Coordinates of all heavy atoms in Angstrom, one line a residue:
D531 N -1.3 1.1 4.2 CA -1.8 1.7 5.5 C -0.5 2.3 6.2 O 0.6 2.2 5.7 CB -2.4 0.7 6.4 CG -3.3 1.4 7.4 OD1 -3.4 2.6 7.5 OD2 -4.0 0.6 8.2
Q532 N -0.8 3.0 7.3 CA 0.3 3.6 8.1 C 0.3 3.0 9.5 O -0.8 2.7 10.0 CB 0.2 5.1 8.2 CG 0.5 5.8 6.9 CD 0.4 7.3 7.1 OE1 -0.7 7.8 7.0 NE2 1.5 7.9 7.4
S533 N 1.4 2.7 10.0 CA 1.6 2.2 11.4 C 1.0 3.2 12.4 O 1.2 4.4 12.3 CB 3.1 2.0 11.7 OG 3.2 1.8 13.1
H534 N 0.2 2.8 13.3 CA -0.3 3.6 14.4 C 0.8 4.0 15.3 O 0.6 5.0 16.1 CB -1.5 3.0 15.1 CG -2.7 2.7 14.2 ND1 -3.5 3.7 13.8 CD2 -3.1 1.6 13.7 CE1 -4.4 3.3 13.0 NE2 -4.3 1.9 12.9
H535 N 1.8 3.3 15.3 CA 3.0 3.6 16.2 C 3.8 4.8 15.8 O 4.1 5.7 16.5 CB 3.8 2.3 16.4 CG 5.1 2.5 17.2 ND1 5.1 2.8 18.5 CD2 6.4 2.5 16.8 CE1 6.3 3.0 18.9 NE2 7.1 2.8 17.9
D536 N 4.3 4.7 14.5 CA 5.2 5.7 14.0 C 4.8 6.3 12.7 O 5.6 7.1 12.1 CB 6.6 5.2 14.0 CG 6.8 4.0 13.1 OD1 5.8 3.6 12.4 OD2 7.9 3.4 13.1
G537 N 3.7 5.9 12.1 CA 3.2 6.5 10.8 C 3.9 5.9 9.6 O 3.6 6.4 8.5
T538 N 4.8 4.9 9.7 CA 5.5 4.4 8.6 C 4.6 3.4 7.8 O 3.6 3.0 8.3 CB 6.8 3.7 9.0 OG1 6.5 2.6 9.9 CG2 7.8 4.6 9.5
V539 N 5.0 3.2 6.6 CA 4.2 2.4 5.6 C 4.0 1.0 6.0 O 4.9 0.4 6.6 CB 4.8 2.5 4.2 CG1 6.2 1.9 4.2 CG2 3.9 1.8 3.2
I540 N 2.8 0.5 5.8 CA 2.5 -0.9 6.0 C 1.8 -1.4 4.7 O 0.9 -0.7 4.2 CB 1.5 -1.2 7.1 CG1 2.1 -0.7 8.4 CG2 1.0 -2.6 7.1 CD1 1.1 -0.7 9.6
V541 N 2.3 -2.4 4.1 CA 1.8 -3.0 2.9 C 0.7 -4.0 3.3 O 1.0 -5.0 3.9 CB 2.8 -3.7 2.0 CG1 2.2 -4.2 0.7 CG2 3.9 -2.7 1.6
L542 N -0.5 -3.7 2.9 CA -1.7 -4.6 3.2 C -1.8 -5.7 2.3 O -2.3 -6.8 2.6 CB -3.0 -3.8 3.2 CG -3.1 -2.6 4.2 CD1 -4.4 -1.8 4.0 CD2 -3.0 -3.1 5.7
N543 N -1.4 -5.5 1.0 CA -1.6 -6.5 0.0 C -0.3 -6.4 -0.9 O -0.2 -5.5 -1.7 CB -2.8 -6.2 -0.8 CG -3.1 -7.3 -1.8 OD1 -2.3 -8.2 -2.1 ND2 -4.3 -7.2 -2.5
T544 N 0.6 -7.4 -0.8 CA 1.8 -7.4 -1.5 C 1.6 -7.7 -3.0 O 2.5 -7.5 -3.8 CB 2.9 -8.3 -0.9 OG1 2.3 -9.7 -0.9 CG2 3.2 -7.9 0.5
Q545 N 0.5 -8.3 -3.4 CA 0.2 -8.7 -4.8 C -1.2 -8.3 -5.1 O -2.1 -9.1 -5.4 CB 0.5 -10.2 -5.0 CG 1.9 -10.6 -4.8 CD 2.1 -12.1 -5.0 OE1 1.3 -12.9 -4.7 NE2 3.2 -12.4 -5.6
P546 N -1.5 -7.0 -5.2 CA -2.8 -6.5 -5.5 C -3.1 -6.8 -7.0 O -2.3 -7.0 -7.8 CB -2.8 -5.0 -5.3 CG -1.3 -4.7 -5.5 CD -0.5 -5.9 -5.0
G547 N -4.4 -6.9 -7.3 CA -4.9 -7.1 -8.6 C -4.6 -5.9 -9.5 O -4.3 -4.8 -9.1
T548 N -4.8 -6.1 -10.8 CA -4.5 -5.1 -11.8 C -5.4 -3.9 -11.6 O -5.1 -2.8 -12.1 CB -4.7 -5.7 -13.2 OG1 -6.0 -6.2 -13.4 CG2 -3.6 -6.7 -13.5
E549 N -6.6 -4.1 -11.0 CA -7.5 -2.9 -10.8 C -6.8 -1.9 -9.8 O -7.3 -0.7 -9.8 CB -8.8 -3.4 -10.2 CG -8.8 -3.9 -8.8 CD -8.4 -5.4 -8.7 OE1 -8.0 -6.0 -9.6 OE2 -8.6 -5.9 -7.6
H550 N -5.8 -2.2 -9.1 CA -5.1 -1.3 -8.2 C -3.8 -0.7 -8.9 O -3.1 0.1 -8.2 CB -4.8 -2.0 -6.9 CG -6.0 -2.4 -6.2 ND1 -6.8 -1.6 -5.5 CD2 -6.4 -3.7 -5.9 CE1 -7.8 -2.3 -5.0 NE2 -7.6 -3.6 -5.2
Q551 N -3.5 -1.2 -10.0 CA -2.2 -0.8 -10.6 C -2.0 0.7 -10.8 O -0.9 1.2 -10.4 CB -2.0 -1.5 -12.0 CG -0.6 -1.3 -12.5 CD -0.3 -2.2 -13.7 OE1 -1.1 -3.1 -14.1 NE2 0.8 -2.0 -14.4
A552 N -3.0 1.4 -11.2 CA -2.8 2.9 -11.4 C -2.6 3.6 -10.1 O -1.8 4.5 -10.0 CB -4.0 3.4 -12.2
D553 N -3.4 3.2 -9.1 CA -3.3 3.8 -7.8 C -1.9 3.5 -7.1 O -1.3 4.4 -6.5 CB -4.4 3.4 -6.9 CG -5.7 4.0 -7.2 OD1 -5.7 5.1 -7.9 OD2 -6.8 3.5 -6.9
V554 N -1.5 2.3 -7.3 CA -0.2 1.9 -6.7 C 0.9 2.7 -7.4 O 1.8 3.2 -6.7 CB 0.1 0.4 -6.8 CG1 1.5 0.0 -6.6 CG2 -0.9 -0.4 -5.9
Q555 N 0.9 2.8 -8.7 CA 1.9 3.5 -9.4 C 1.9 5.0 -9.0 O 3.0 5.5 -8.8 CB 1.7 3.4 -10.9 CG 2.9 4.0 -11.8 CD 4.2 3.3 -11.5 OE1 4.3 2.1 -11.3 NE2 5.2 4.1 -11.4
A556 N 0.8 5.6 -8.8 CA 0.7 6.9 -8.4 C 1.3 7.1 -7.0 O 2.0 8.0 -6.7 CB -0.7 7.4 -8.4
A557 N 1.0 6.1 -6.1 CA 1.6 6.1 -4.7 C 3.1 6.0 -4.8 O 3.8 6.7 -4.0 CB 1.0 5.0 -3.9
V558 N 3.6 5.2 -5.6 CA 5.1 5.1 -5.8 C 5.7 6.4 -6.2 O 6.7 6.9 -5.6 CB 5.4 4.0 -6.8 CG1 6.9 4.0 -7.1 CG2 5.1 2.6 -6.2

């Protein structure tokens, strides 16, 4: 997510499941 204060990154889930791996890699 993004901070409402300054727009910087917020990690909502530091250890997401493998179902998120492709999206996380694309985000990186």
Side-chain angles (χ1 to χ4, degrees):
D531 198 359
Q532 288 182 273
S533 166
H534 294 288
H535 173 68
D536 60 6
T538 57
V539 62
I540 297 172
V541 180
L542 300 174
N543 186 353
T544 60
Q545 295 181 323
T548 56
E549 69 274 14
H550 298 290
Q551 187 168 353
D553 287 338
V554 168
Q555 188 60 41
V558 169

